[in-house]
Amino acid sequence: MRNKYYVIFYYSVTFLFLLFMREYWLLSRAGIHIDESQSFILASYNSKSLLHDIVIMTGDQFRGAMWFNDPTFSGMLNDVVKLWHDNRDTPHSNLYYSILRIWFTGINTSDFRFTLGWALQLNVLFFCISFTTFSALLHRLFKSHVVTISGLLIAFIGSGTISNTIFARPYQLQETMFIAFLFMSFLFIERQRRSASFLIAYGVVTAFTLLTGYFSIPFVLLVLFFTLIYCLAKKELTYKDLAKACSLVIFVSLAVGYLIYPKYLFVFGYRQTEALSKTSDFWNNFKSSLLAFKFLSQNYLFPVLILLASVALVSFKLLKRKCIDKNWFILFILFTVTIWSLAILYFAPYKTIRYIYPALPVYALAYCVIIHEAIQINTKLPLPLAIIIAASSVYVFKKDGAIEYQYAEMNKICEYSDGGNALFVLDKAFRMQVFTACLSNAEHIMTKKPSNVEKLLNDNNHIKYIISDRKLSGYDIIDKYSYYTIYKR
Protein backbone atom coordinates (compact mmCIF):
# COMPACT_ATOMS: atom_id res chain seq x y z
CA MET A 1 0.00 0.00 0.00
CA ARG A 2 2.87 2.32 0.82
CA ASN A 3 4.27 1.92 -2.71
CA LYS A 4 0.83 2.59 -4.11
CA TYR A 5 0.64 5.93 -2.28
CA TYR A 6 4.14 6.83 -3.48
CA VAL A 7 3.06 6.14 -7.07
CA ILE A 8 -0.05 8.29 -6.71
CA PHE A 9 2.07 11.03 -5.15
CA TYR A 10 4.60 11.06 -8.01
CA TYR A 11 1.89 11.08 -10.68
CA SER A 12 0.11 13.89 -8.85
CA VAL A 13 3.27 15.99 -8.47
CA THR A 14 4.09 15.55 -12.18
CA PHE A 15 0.57 16.47 -13.22
CA LEU A 16 0.35 19.50 -10.92
CA PHE A 17 3.77 20.74 -12.03
CA LEU A 18 2.81 20.54 -15.71
CA LEU A 19 -0.58 22.09 -14.98
CA PHE A 20 1.07 24.93 -13.02
CA MET A 21 3.40 25.64 -15.95
CA ARG A 22 0.41 26.09 -18.23
CA GLU A 23 -1.58 28.23 -15.83
CA TYR A 24 1.48 30.40 -15.13
CA TRP A 25 2.08 31.17 -18.81
CA LEU A 26 -1.64 31.52 -19.42
CA LEU A 27 -1.89 34.18 -16.71
CA SER A 28 1.26 35.88 -18.05
CA ARG A 29 -0.35 36.62 -21.39
CA ALA A 30 -0.67 40.33 -22.11
CA GLY A 31 -2.37 40.18 -25.51
CA ILE A 32 -4.28 38.05 -27.95
CA HIS A 33 -3.47 36.55 -31.35
CA ILE A 34 -5.64 37.58 -34.28
CA ASP A 35 -6.62 33.92 -34.87
CA GLU A 36 -7.83 33.64 -31.28
CA SER A 37 -10.11 36.60 -31.77
CA GLN A 38 -11.30 34.85 -34.91
CA SER A 39 -12.04 31.73 -32.83
CA PHE A 40 -14.35 33.75 -30.58
CA ILE A 41 -16.08 35.47 -33.51
CA LEU A 42 -16.60 32.16 -35.34
CA ALA A 43 -17.73 30.24 -32.25
CA SER A 44 -20.26 32.89 -31.24
CA TYR A 45 -21.39 33.00 -34.87
CA ASN A 46 -21.32 36.75 -34.84
CA SER A 47 -22.65 38.23 -38.05
CA LYS A 48 -20.23 41.16 -37.73
CA SER A 49 -23.07 43.47 -38.75
CA LEU A 50 -21.41 46.37 -36.90
CA LEU A 51 -19.84 47.59 -40.10
CA HIS A 52 -22.27 50.08 -41.65
CA ASP A 53 -22.53 53.83 -42.26
CA ILE A 54 -21.20 55.35 -38.99
CA VAL A 55 -20.60 53.55 -35.67
CA ILE A 56 -19.50 55.13 -32.38
CA MET A 57 -18.64 52.77 -29.53
CA THR A 58 -16.12 51.96 -26.81
CA GLY A 59 -13.73 49.02 -26.88
CA ASP A 60 -15.84 47.08 -24.38
CA GLN A 61 -19.00 47.65 -26.41
CA PHE A 62 -17.15 46.56 -29.53
CA ARG A 63 -15.85 43.36 -27.92
CA GLY A 64 -19.26 42.63 -26.44
CA ALA A 65 -20.79 42.84 -29.90
CA MET A 66 -18.02 40.87 -31.66
CA TRP A 67 -17.54 38.03 -29.15
CA PHE A 68 -19.81 36.00 -26.86
CA ASN A 69 -22.80 38.24 -26.25
CA ASP A 70 -25.67 35.78 -25.70
CA PRO A 71 -25.30 33.81 -22.45
CA THR A 72 -28.61 31.97 -22.81
CA PHE A 73 -28.92 28.24 -23.44
CA SER A 74 -31.19 28.87 -26.43
CA GLY A 75 -28.64 31.32 -27.85
CA MET A 76 -25.94 28.67 -27.55
CA LEU A 77 -28.10 26.08 -29.33
CA ASN A 78 -28.87 28.57 -32.09
CA ASP A 79 -25.16 29.27 -32.65
CA VAL A 80 -24.26 25.55 -32.62
CA VAL A 81 -26.93 24.87 -35.26
CA LYS A 82 -25.50 27.66 -37.42
CA LEU A 83 -22.01 26.19 -36.99
CA TRP A 84 -23.43 22.83 -38.09
CA HIS A 85 -24.61 24.39 -41.34
CA ASP A 86 -21.42 26.36 -42.01
CA ASN A 87 -18.55 27.13 -39.63
CA ARG A 88 -17.10 29.75 -42.05
CA ASP A 89 -13.56 28.37 -41.61
CA THR A 90 -12.73 25.79 -44.26
CA PRO A 91 -9.41 24.45 -42.81
CA HIS A 92 -11.31 23.21 -39.73
CA SER A 93 -14.61 21.57 -38.95
CA ASN A 94 -17.21 22.94 -36.57
CA LEU A 95 -16.09 20.62 -33.73
CA TYR A 96 -13.79 22.97 -31.80
CA TYR A 97 -15.98 26.03 -32.37
CA SER A 98 -19.09 24.16 -31.21
CA ILE A 99 -17.37 22.94 -28.04
CA LEU A 100 -16.02 26.45 -27.42
CA ARG A 101 -19.51 27.93 -27.87
CA ILE A 102 -20.99 25.40 -25.43
CA TRP A 103 -18.16 26.22 -22.99
CA PHE A 104 -19.25 29.88 -22.98
CA THR A 105 -22.89 29.15 -22.16
CA GLY A 106 -23.92 31.51 -19.36
CA ILE A 107 -20.89 33.78 -19.93
CA ASN A 108 -21.41 37.39 -21.00
CA THR A 109 -18.36 39.61 -20.66
CA SER A 110 -16.49 42.12 -22.78
CA ASP A 111 -13.24 41.84 -20.81
CA PHE A 112 -10.67 40.32 -23.13
CA ARG A 113 -8.60 38.83 -20.29
CA PHE A 114 -11.56 36.93 -18.88
CA THR A 115 -12.74 35.83 -22.34
CA LEU A 116 -9.28 34.59 -23.28
CA GLY A 117 -8.69 33.01 -19.86
CA TRP A 118 -11.99 31.15 -19.89
CA ALA A 119 -11.40 29.91 -23.45
CA LEU A 120 -7.95 28.67 -22.43
CA GLN A 121 -9.36 26.80 -19.43
CA LEU A 122 -11.10 24.63 -22.03
CA ASN A 123 -7.65 23.90 -23.45
CA VAL A 124 -6.44 23.10 -19.93
CA LEU A 125 -9.27 20.57 -19.68
CA PHE A 126 -8.14 19.04 -22.98
CA PHE A 127 -4.58 18.91 -21.60
CA CYS A 128 -5.83 17.00 -18.54
CA ILE A 129 -7.42 14.43 -20.88
CA SER A 130 -4.19 14.26 -22.92
CA PHE A 131 -2.14 13.68 -19.77
CA THR A 132 -4.45 10.94 -18.48
CA THR A 133 -4.75 9.15 -21.82
CA PHE A 134 -1.03 9.33 -22.57
CA SER A 135 -0.19 7.98 -19.12
CA ALA A 136 -2.55 5.03 -19.75
CA LEU A 137 -0.92 4.40 -23.13
CA LEU A 138 2.64 4.59 -21.77
CA HIS A 139 1.92 2.32 -18.83
CA ARG A 140 0.23 -0.21 -21.09
CA LEU A 141 3.26 -0.19 -23.37
CA PHE A 142 6.05 -0.30 -20.78
CA LYS A 143 4.44 -1.60 -17.55
CA SER A 144 6.64 0.74 -15.52
CA HIS A 145 5.67 3.75 -13.46
CA VAL A 146 9.23 5.13 -13.74
CA VAL A 147 9.01 5.06 -17.54
CA THR A 148 5.47 6.43 -17.57
CA ILE A 149 6.09 9.36 -15.22
CA SER A 150 9.33 10.24 -17.00
CA GLY A 151 7.57 10.02 -20.37
CA LEU A 152 4.80 12.32 -19.20
CA LEU A 153 7.24 14.96 -18.01
CA ILE A 154 9.29 14.71 -21.21
CA ALA A 155 6.15 14.86 -23.38
CA PHE A 156 4.48 17.85 -21.80
CA ILE A 157 7.33 20.06 -20.50
CA GLY A 158 8.29 21.29 -23.98
CA SER A 159 7.68 24.92 -24.89
CA GLY A 160 5.66 23.79 -27.91
CA THR A 161 3.18 21.75 -25.89
CA ILE A 162 2.78 24.56 -23.34
CA SER A 163 2.30 27.10 -26.14
CA ASN A 164 -0.30 24.78 -27.63
CA THR A 165 -2.36 24.79 -24.43
CA ILE A 166 -2.31 28.58 -24.11
CA PHE A 167 -3.36 29.18 -27.73
CA ALA A 168 -7.14 29.39 -28.22
CA ARG A 169 -7.29 27.46 -31.47
CA PRO A 170 -8.19 23.82 -32.32
CA TYR A 171 -4.62 22.46 -31.96
CA GLN A 172 -4.86 21.45 -28.29
CA LEU A 173 -8.04 19.50 -29.06
CA GLN A 174 -6.17 17.90 -31.95
CA GLU A 175 -3.32 16.86 -29.64
CA THR A 176 -5.83 15.28 -27.25
CA MET A 177 -7.58 13.39 -30.03
CA PHE A 178 -4.27 12.22 -31.57
CA ILE A 179 -3.34 10.62 -28.25
CA ALA A 180 -6.82 9.14 -27.73
CA PHE A 181 -6.80 7.75 -31.28
CA LEU A 182 -3.36 6.17 -30.78
CA PHE A 183 -4.53 4.60 -27.52
CA MET A 184 -7.60 3.07 -29.17
CA SER A 185 -5.47 1.85 -32.09
CA PHE A 186 -3.07 0.13 -29.71
CA LEU A 187 -5.92 -1.56 -27.85
CA PHE A 188 -7.16 -2.91 -31.17
CA ILE A 189 -3.69 -4.10 -32.18
CA GLU A 190 -3.19 -5.76 -28.81
CA ARG A 191 -6.37 -7.79 -29.17
CA GLN A 192 -8.43 -7.75 -32.33
CA ARG A 193 -11.30 -9.78 -30.90
CA ARG A 194 -13.11 -6.72 -29.63
CA SER A 195 -16.77 -6.20 -28.89
CA ALA A 196 -19.04 -4.17 -31.13
CA SER A 197 -19.22 -1.45 -28.46
CA PHE A 198 -15.42 -1.08 -28.54
CA LEU A 199 -15.40 -0.86 -32.34
CA ILE A 200 -18.15 1.78 -32.22
CA ALA A 201 -16.13 3.76 -29.64
CA TYR A 202 -13.04 3.39 -31.87
CA GLY A 203 -15.06 4.78 -34.79
CA VAL A 204 -16.29 7.74 -32.72
CA VAL A 205 -12.75 8.58 -31.57
CA THR A 206 -11.55 8.31 -35.18
CA ALA A 207 -14.32 10.66 -36.32
CA PHE A 208 -13.49 13.23 -33.63
CA THR A 209 -9.81 13.02 -34.56
CA LEU A 210 -10.59 13.64 -38.22
CA LEU A 211 -12.80 16.60 -37.29
CA THR A 212 -9.99 18.45 -35.52
CA GLY A 213 -8.65 19.75 -38.84
CA TYR A 214 -7.72 18.67 -42.34
CA PHE A 215 -4.11 17.99 -41.36
CA SER A 216 -5.39 15.23 -39.07
CA ILE A 217 -6.59 13.22 -42.09
CA PRO A 218 -3.10 12.02 -43.19
CA PHE A 219 -2.25 11.20 -39.55
CA VAL A 220 -5.36 9.02 -39.18
CA LEU A 221 -4.81 7.35 -42.55
CA LEU A 222 -1.18 6.52 -41.74
CA VAL A 223 -2.08 5.00 -38.36
CA LEU A 224 -4.98 3.00 -39.81
CA PHE A 225 -2.76 1.77 -42.66
CA PHE A 226 -0.04 0.47 -40.31
CA THR A 227 -2.68 -0.98 -37.97
CA LEU A 228 -4.31 -2.90 -40.80
CA ILE A 229 -0.95 -4.19 -42.10
CA TYR A 230 -0.10 -5.55 -38.66
CA CYS A 231 -3.52 -7.07 -38.13
CA LEU A 232 -3.23 -8.87 -41.47
CA ALA A 233 0.23 -10.16 -40.51
CA LYS A 234 -0.86 -11.24 -37.04
CA LYS A 235 -3.83 -13.25 -38.41
CA GLU A 236 -5.72 -13.22 -35.12
CA LEU A 237 -8.94 -12.84 -37.08
CA THR A 238 -9.96 -14.34 -40.39
CA TYR A 239 -9.95 -11.95 -43.31
CA LYS A 240 -13.74 -11.94 -43.22
CA ASP A 241 -13.93 -11.06 -39.50
CA LEU A 242 -11.23 -8.41 -39.86
CA ALA A 243 -13.10 -6.90 -42.80
CA LYS A 244 -16.26 -6.75 -40.69
CA ALA A 245 -14.44 -5.04 -37.81
CA CYS A 246 -12.78 -2.52 -40.13
CA SER A 247 -16.06 -1.85 -41.95
CA LEU A 248 -17.82 -1.11 -38.67
CA VAL A 249 -15.08 1.30 -37.52
CA ILE A 250 -15.02 3.08 -40.90
CA PHE A 251 -18.82 3.26 -41.11
CA VAL A 252 -19.15 4.70 -37.60
CA SER A 253 -16.34 7.23 -38.13
CA LEU A 254 -17.79 8.48 -41.44
CA ALA A 255 -21.34 8.52 -40.11
CA VAL A 256 -20.43 10.40 -36.92
CA GLY A 257 -18.21 12.79 -38.86
CA TYR A 258 -20.99 13.48 -41.34
CA LEU A 259 -23.58 13.97 -38.60
CA ILE A 260 -21.38 16.46 -36.72
CA TYR A 261 -20.35 18.46 -39.79
CA PRO A 262 -21.91 17.41 -43.12
CA LYS A 263 -19.80 19.84 -45.17
CA TYR A 264 -16.45 18.61 -43.86
CA LEU A 265 -15.40 16.26 -46.66
CA PHE A 266 -17.13 18.30 -49.34
CA VAL A 267 -15.46 21.66 -48.88
CA PHE A 268 -12.47 22.86 -50.86
CA GLY A 269 -11.30 26.20 -49.50
CA TYR A 270 -8.39 28.57 -49.78
CA ARG A 271 -6.17 26.67 -47.30
CA GLN A 272 -6.46 23.44 -49.27
CA THR A 273 -5.63 25.37 -52.43
CA GLU A 274 -2.58 26.91 -50.71
CA ALA A 275 -1.42 23.49 -49.52
CA LEU A 276 -1.68 21.93 -52.98
CA SER A 277 0.12 24.91 -54.51
CA LYS A 278 3.20 23.97 -52.47
CA THR A 279 3.79 20.96 -54.70
CA SER A 280 4.99 23.28 -57.47
CA ASP A 281 8.19 24.15 -55.57
CA PHE A 282 9.44 20.79 -54.35
CA TRP A 283 12.98 21.67 -53.27
CA ASN A 284 12.18 24.79 -51.24
CA ASN A 285 9.28 23.09 -49.51
CA PHE A 286 11.40 20.03 -48.81
CA LYS A 287 13.97 22.25 -47.09
CA SER A 288 11.18 23.95 -45.18
CA SER A 289 9.85 20.60 -44.00
CA LEU A 290 13.20 19.90 -42.31
CA LEU A 291 12.29 22.68 -39.90
CA ALA A 292 10.42 19.90 -38.07
CA PHE A 293 13.75 18.69 -36.67
CA LYS A 294 14.67 22.23 -35.62
CA PHE A 295 11.35 22.54 -33.80
CA LEU A 296 11.93 19.17 -32.14
CA SER A 297 15.31 20.34 -30.85
CA GLN A 298 13.52 23.22 -29.11
CA ASN A 299 11.45 20.68 -27.17
CA TYR A 300 13.70 17.64 -26.80
CA LEU A 301 17.39 16.93 -26.20
CA PHE A 302 19.13 15.32 -29.23
CA PRO A 303 15.79 14.35 -30.86
CA VAL A 304 17.21 12.91 -34.09
CA LEU A 305 19.81 10.81 -32.24
CA ILE A 306 17.23 9.49 -29.76
CA LEU A 307 14.77 8.73 -32.57
CA LEU A 308 17.37 6.74 -34.49
CA ALA A 309 18.53 4.90 -31.36
CA SER A 310 14.96 4.03 -30.40
CA VAL A 311 14.10 2.79 -33.88
CA ALA A 312 17.26 0.66 -33.87
CA LEU A 313 16.44 -0.83 -30.43
CA VAL A 314 12.82 -1.56 -31.32
CA SER A 315 13.80 -3.07 -34.69
CA PHE A 316 16.36 -5.32 -32.98
CA LYS A 317 13.74 -6.56 -30.53
CA LEU A 318 11.35 -7.25 -33.39
CA LEU A 319 14.03 -9.35 -35.09
CA LYS A 320 14.39 -11.27 -31.83
CA ARG A 321 10.58 -11.59 -31.80
CA LYS A 322 10.19 -9.99 -28.37
CA CYS A 323 6.95 -8.17 -27.42
CA ILE A 324 5.95 -7.93 -31.06
CA ASP A 325 2.66 -6.10 -30.50
CA LYS A 326 4.17 -3.31 -28.43
CA ASN A 327 7.38 -2.88 -30.37
CA TRP A 328 5.59 -2.89 -33.71
CA PHE A 329 3.22 -0.23 -32.40
CA ILE A 330 6.09 1.95 -31.12
CA LEU A 331 7.96 1.59 -34.41
CA PHE A 332 5.08 2.57 -36.65
CA ILE A 333 4.04 5.46 -34.38
CA LEU A 334 7.56 6.91 -34.44
CA PHE A 335 7.54 6.58 -38.24
CA THR A 336 4.05 8.09 -38.43
CA VAL A 337 4.74 11.21 -36.33
CA THR A 338 8.03 11.84 -38.15
CA ILE A 339 6.57 11.42 -41.64
CA TRP A 340 3.48 13.41 -40.67
CA SER A 341 5.52 16.31 -39.23
CA LEU A 342 7.70 16.52 -42.34
CA ALA A 343 4.70 16.30 -44.68
CA ILE A 344 2.65 18.89 -42.80
CA LEU A 345 5.47 21.43 -42.84
CA TYR A 346 5.96 20.69 -46.52
CA PHE A 347 2.35 21.54 -47.35
CA ALA A 348 1.65 24.12 -44.63
CA PRO A 349 1.05 27.64 -45.96
CA TYR A 350 3.16 29.05 -43.11
CA LYS A 351 6.22 27.18 -41.86
CA THR A 352 5.41 27.47 -38.17
CA ILE A 353 5.59 24.99 -35.31
CA ARG A 354 1.89 25.41 -34.49
CA TYR A 355 0.95 22.98 -37.28
CA ILE A 356 2.89 20.14 -35.65
CA TYR A 357 2.00 21.04 -32.04
CA PRO A 358 -0.44 18.09 -31.77
CA ALA A 359 2.24 15.47 -32.48
CA LEU A 360 4.96 16.86 -30.19
CA PRO A 361 4.09 14.81 -27.05
CA VAL A 362 4.15 11.56 -29.04
CA TYR A 363 7.89 11.92 -29.68
CA ALA A 364 8.41 11.19 -25.98
CA LEU A 365 7.86 7.51 -26.86
CA ALA A 366 11.42 7.42 -28.21
CA TYR A 367 12.83 8.52 -24.84
CA CYS A 368 10.63 6.00 -23.04
CA VAL A 369 12.19 3.23 -25.15
CA ILE A 370 15.67 4.24 -23.95
CA ILE A 371 14.62 4.29 -20.28
CA HIS A 372 12.78 0.98 -20.63
CA GLU A 373 15.80 -0.68 -22.23
CA ALA A 374 17.88 0.42 -19.25
CA ILE A 375 15.55 -1.62 -17.04
CA GLN A 376 16.40 -4.72 -19.05
CA ILE A 377 20.13 -4.13 -18.53
CA ASN A 378 20.13 -3.30 -14.83
CA THR A 379 17.20 -2.64 -12.50
CA LYS A 380 19.19 0.14 -10.81
CA LEU A 381 19.75 2.07 -14.04
CA PRO A 382 16.24 3.31 -14.94
CA LEU A 383 15.69 5.74 -12.08
CA PRO A 384 18.93 7.76 -12.48
CA LEU A 385 18.59 7.59 -16.29
CA ALA A 386 14.99 8.77 -16.07
CA ILE A 387 16.04 11.64 -13.79
CA ILE A 388 18.82 12.64 -16.22
CA ILE A 389 16.50 12.56 -19.27
CA ALA A 390 13.71 14.35 -17.45
CA ALA A 391 16.18 16.95 -16.17
CA SER A 392 17.48 17.40 -19.72
CA SER A 393 13.93 18.18 -20.84
CA VAL A 394 13.72 20.91 -18.21
CA TYR A 395 17.16 22.16 -19.36
CA VAL A 396 16.02 22.33 -22.99
CA PHE A 397 12.91 24.18 -21.88
CA LYS A 398 14.94 26.78 -19.98
CA LYS A 399 17.58 27.10 -22.71
CA ASP A 400 15.56 27.06 -25.95
CA GLY A 401 11.96 27.09 -24.81
CA ALA A 402 10.28 30.22 -26.08
CA ILE A 403 6.65 30.24 -24.99
CA GLU A 404 4.65 31.81 -27.77
CA TYR A 405 1.63 34.14 -27.76
CA GLN A 406 2.70 36.43 -24.91
CA TYR A 407 2.20 39.72 -26.79
CA ALA A 408 3.54 42.13 -24.21
CA GLU A 409 3.46 45.01 -26.72
CA MET A 410 0.26 46.71 -27.87
CA ASN A 411 -0.35 46.43 -31.61
CA LYS A 412 -0.03 49.63 -33.62
CA ILE A 413 -3.72 49.96 -34.45
CA CYS A 414 -4.64 50.14 -30.78
CA GLU A 415 -1.64 52.34 -30.02
CA TYR A 416 -2.63 55.01 -32.55
CA SER A 417 -6.30 54.89 -31.55
CA ASP A 418 -5.74 54.62 -27.79
CA GLY A 419 -7.52 57.84 -26.77
CA GLY A 420 -10.22 57.65 -29.41
CA ASN A 421 -8.10 59.96 -31.55
CA ALA A 422 -8.31 57.87 -34.73
CA LEU A 423 -11.03 57.50 -37.33
CA PHE A 424 -11.51 53.93 -38.63
CA VAL A 425 -12.42 53.62 -42.30
CA LEU A 426 -13.16 49.93 -42.79
CA ASP A 427 -13.92 47.84 -45.85
CA LYS A 428 -13.78 44.16 -44.80
CA ALA A 429 -15.53 43.13 -41.58
CA PHE A 430 -13.28 40.15 -40.84
CA ARG A 431 -10.26 42.47 -40.57
CA MET A 432 -11.77 44.09 -37.48
CA GLN A 433 -10.50 41.14 -35.42
CA VAL A 434 -6.99 42.67 -35.59
CA PHE A 435 -7.94 45.28 -32.98
CA THR A 436 -10.90 43.63 -31.21
CA ALA A 437 -8.96 42.61 -28.11
CA CYS A 438 -7.02 45.81 -27.45
CA LEU A 439 -9.35 48.63 -28.50
CA SER A 440 -9.45 51.14 -25.62
CA ASN A 441 -12.56 52.22 -23.74
CA ALA A 442 -12.56 55.66 -25.28
CA GLU A 443 -15.28 56.25 -27.85
CA HIS A 444 -14.12 55.23 -31.34
CA ILE A 445 -15.64 56.34 -34.63
CA MET A 446 -15.88 53.83 -37.46
CA THR A 447 -17.32 54.13 -40.94
CA LYS A 448 -17.59 51.93 -43.99
CA LYS A 449 -17.89 54.80 -46.47
CA PRO A 450 -14.82 56.87 -47.46
CA SER A 451 -17.25 59.62 -48.47
CA ASN A 452 -17.92 60.20 -44.75
CA VAL A 453 -14.27 60.92 -43.90
CA GLU A 454 -14.18 64.70 -44.50
CA LYS A 455 -17.42 65.33 -42.63
CA LEU A 456 -16.32 63.22 -39.64
CA LEU A 457 -12.93 64.95 -39.50
CA ASN A 458 -14.60 68.38 -39.56
CA ASP A 459 -17.01 67.39 -36.78
CA ASN A 460 -14.32 65.79 -34.58
CA ASN A 461 -11.26 68.01 -34.16
CA HIS A 462 -9.63 65.59 -31.68
CA ILE A 463 -9.03 63.00 -34.41
CA LYS A 464 -5.33 62.87 -35.34
CA TYR A 465 -5.13 59.71 -37.44
CA ILE A 466 -7.10 57.76 -40.01
CA ILE A 467 -6.76 53.97 -39.86
CA SER A 468 -8.01 52.12 -42.91
CA ASP A 469 -7.83 48.74 -44.64
CA ARG A 470 -8.46 50.42 -47.98
CA LYS A 471 -6.41 52.93 -49.95
CA LEU A 472 -7.21 56.57 -49.22
CA SER A 473 -5.89 59.50 -51.24
CA GLY A 474 -5.03 62.96 -50.00
CA TYR A 475 -3.48 61.89 -46.67
CA ASP A 476 0.12 61.19 -45.64
CA ILE A 477 0.98 57.59 -44.75
CA ILE A 478 2.88 57.39 -41.45
CA ASP A 479 2.72 53.67 -40.60
CA LYS A 480 1.35 50.24 -41.53
CA TYR A 481 0.24 47.25 -39.53
CA SER A 482 -1.36 43.99 -40.68
CA TYR A 483 -4.15 44.85 -43.15
CA TYR A 484 -4.13 48.50 -42.15
CA THR A 485 -2.49 51.74 -43.19
CA ILE A 486 -2.26 54.64 -40.73
CA TYR A 487 -2.65 58.10 -42.22
CA LYS A 488 -1.88 61.47 -40.63
CA ARG A 489 -4.83 63.82 -40.61
Side-chain angles (χ1 to χ4, degrees):
M1 290 296 290
R2 189 179 177 186
N3 288 337
K4 177 184 175 181
Y5 290 128
Y6 274 129
V7 168
I8 294 172
F9 172 76
Y10 290 132
Y11 275 105
S12 300
V13 168
T14 304
F15 171 72
L16 291 173
F17 171 70
L18 294 169
L19 182 64
F20 170 79
M21 293 290 288
R22 282 153 174 78
E23 294 287 1
Y24 170 79
W25 287 104
L26 187 159
L27 292 171
S28 298
R29 290 197 55 176
I32 188 170
H33 191 279
I34 181 175
D35 288 350
E36 293 175 305
S37 180
Q38 183 186 37
S39 289
F40 305 153
I41 293 168
L42 292 172
S44 59
Y45 219 91
N46 200 293
S47 63
K48 294 186 253 187
S49 58
L50 295 174
L51 194 52
H52 48 84
D53 192 14
I54 297 174
V55 177
I56 301 176
M57 59 172 53
T58 67
D60 275 347
Q61 290 171 334
F62 182 64
R63 281 182 285 278
M66 291 289 281
W67 292 350
F68 302 96
N69 50 26
D70 188 346
T72 65
F73 184 77
S74 60
M76 177 273 291
L77 287 180
N78 185 50
D79 289 339
V80 169
V81 169
K82 289 178 181 176
L83 286 165
W84 183 77
H85 285 290
D86 181 16
N87 75 335
R88 303 170 298 164
D89 184 24
T90 56
H92 303 97
S93 77
N94 66 338
L95 180 63
Y96 172 73
Y97 300 122
S98 298
I99 296 172
L100 184 63
R101 181 63 187 91
I102 293 167
W103 184 251
F104 271 86
T105 305
I107 303 295
N108 185 12
T109 178
S110 58
D111 180 72
F112 106 83
R113 289 186 179 278
F114 181 85
T115 304
L116 179 62
W118 185 245
L120 292 177
Q121 291 308 317
L122 176 62
N123 274 7
V124 170
L125 176 61
F126 290 145
F127 159 71
C128 295
I129 299 171
S130 291
F131 181 93
T132 305
T133 310
F134 200 53
S135 65
L137 175 61
L138 291 180
H139 192 262
R140 201 162 188 112
L141 283 170
F142 300 105
K143 305 295 184 185
S144 166
H145 293 302
V146 171
V147 176
T148 303
I149 293 170
S150 302
L152 290 169
L153 182 61
I154 295 164
F156 295 110
I157 190 63
S159 58
T161 60
I162 295 173
S163 297
N164 195 20
T165 305
I166 66 166
F167 186 43
R169 291 294 286 159
Y171 303 108
Q172 176 62 54
L173 173 61
Q174 192 169 71
E175 172 200 288
T176 302
M177 293 315 305
F178 274 14
I179 293 171
F181 175 63
L182 290 176
F183 184 54
M184 295 296 285
S185 298
F186 176 67
L187 293 179
F188 184 68
I189 277 180
E190 201 175 33
R191 183 164 55 84
Q192 297 168 35
R193 297 186 185 279
R194 293 285 178 178
S195 64
S197 59
F198 172 85
L199 296 175
I200 290 171
Y202 190 12
V204 171
V205 169
T206 304
F208 273 64
T209 307
L210 289 168
L211 288 168
T212 57
Y214 280 108
F215 281 160
S216 65
I217 294 175
F219 184 88
V220 168
L221 291 178
L222 278 169
V223 173
L224 290 179
F225 171 76
F226 284 121
T227 300
L228 179 61
I229 292 297
Y230 182 67
C231 289
L232 288 171
K234 189 177 180 181
K235 297 180 181 178
E236 183 179 330
L237 296 176
T238 64
Y239 292 144
K240 183 179 179 181
D241 290 336
L242 182 59
K244 286 181 180 178
C246 292
S247 298
L248 180 56
V249 172
I250 292 170
F251 172 77
V252 170
S253 62
L254 292 177
V256 171
Y258 183 79
L259 286 172
I260 292 176
Y261 194 48
K263 294 182 67 173
Y264 190 56
L265 294 177
F266 305 99
V267 174
F268 194 81
Y270 69 100
R271 285 296 190 217
Q272 294 93 310
T273 305
E274 281 182 327
L276 291 175
S277 70
K278 300 300 178 182
T279 57
S280 62
D281 192 356
F282 173 81
W283 181 242
N284 283 333
N285 281 291
F286 174 74
K287 288 191 293 185
S288 296
S289 73
L290 297 180
L291 284 171
F293 295 120
K294 176 188 175 182
F295 293 147
L296 283 179
S297 67
Q298 294 171 358
N299 290 268
Y300 293 102
L301 187 68
F302 308 129
V304 177
L305 180 63
I306 296 295
L307 269 173
L308 292 174
S310 299
V311 167
L313 283 168
V314 171
S315 301
F316 178 75
K317 293 189 78 172
L318 282 172
L319 290 173
K320 293 290 186 178
R321 303 193 65 79
K322 294 180 179 179
C323 302
I324 294 176
D325 285 349
K326 296 175 182 179
N327 286 303
W328 168 259
F329 178 81
I330 293 168
L331 187 64
F332 87 65
I333 290 307
L334 291 179
F335 271 119
T336 295
V337 295
T338 305
I339 294 168
W340 182 82
S341 300
L342 292 169
I344 293 312
L345 284 177
Y346 179 91
F347 287 104
Y350 307 109
K351 310 307 179 184
T352 172
I353 189 174
R354 87 170 66 159
Y355 292 117
I356 64 168
Y357 275 161
L360 288 178
V362 184
Y363 284 99
L365 272 176
Y367 295 80
C368 292
V369 169
I370 302 298
I371 299 171
H372 184 258
E373 285 307 303
I375 296 176
Q376 313 305 313
I377 298 170
N378 189 319
T379 55
K380 294 181 180 180
L381 274 179
L383 186 57
L385 183 62
I387 292 171
I388 291 170
I389 293 179
S392 73
S393 299
V394 177
Y395 167 76
V396 171
F397 171 77
K398 290 189 69 177
K399 179 175 178 288
D400 298 316
I403 305 298
E404 297 189 88
Y405 315 118
Q406 293 303 294
Y407 304 114
E409 297 179 0
M410 182 183 293
N411 79 43
K412 289 182 179 180
I413 304 302
C414 294
E415 185 179 337
Y416 280 103
S417 66
D418 189 42
N421 54 355
L423 168 65
F424 288 89
V425 183
L426 306 168
D427 181 34
K428 303 296 183 184
F430 76 90
R431 293 172 180 166
M432 296 163 76
Q433 63 199 28
V434 170
F435 54 82
T436 304
C438 58
L439 202 64
S440 72
N441 265 336
E443 285 193 332
H444 300 275
I445 305 174
M446 305 176 189
T447 182
K448 184 178 176 64
K449 299 179 180 179
S451 58
N452 290 330
V453 172
E454 283 302 316
K455 179 181 183 302
L456 290 170
L457 289 177
N458 291 333
D459 293 344
N460 297 274
N461 293 325
H462 66 283
I463 292 177
K464 300 177 181 178
Y465 309 104
I466 306 167
I467 299 173
S468 181
D469 61 345
R470 65 201 310 167
K471 187 176 180 180
L472 301 178
S473 57
Y475 304 98
D476 294 330
I477 297 172
I478 59 171
D479 215 338
K480 291 186 177 183
Y481 183 83
S482 185
Y483 305 109
Y484 293 94
T485 302
I486 295 100
Y487 300 89
K488 180 74 175 176
R489 175 174 180 166

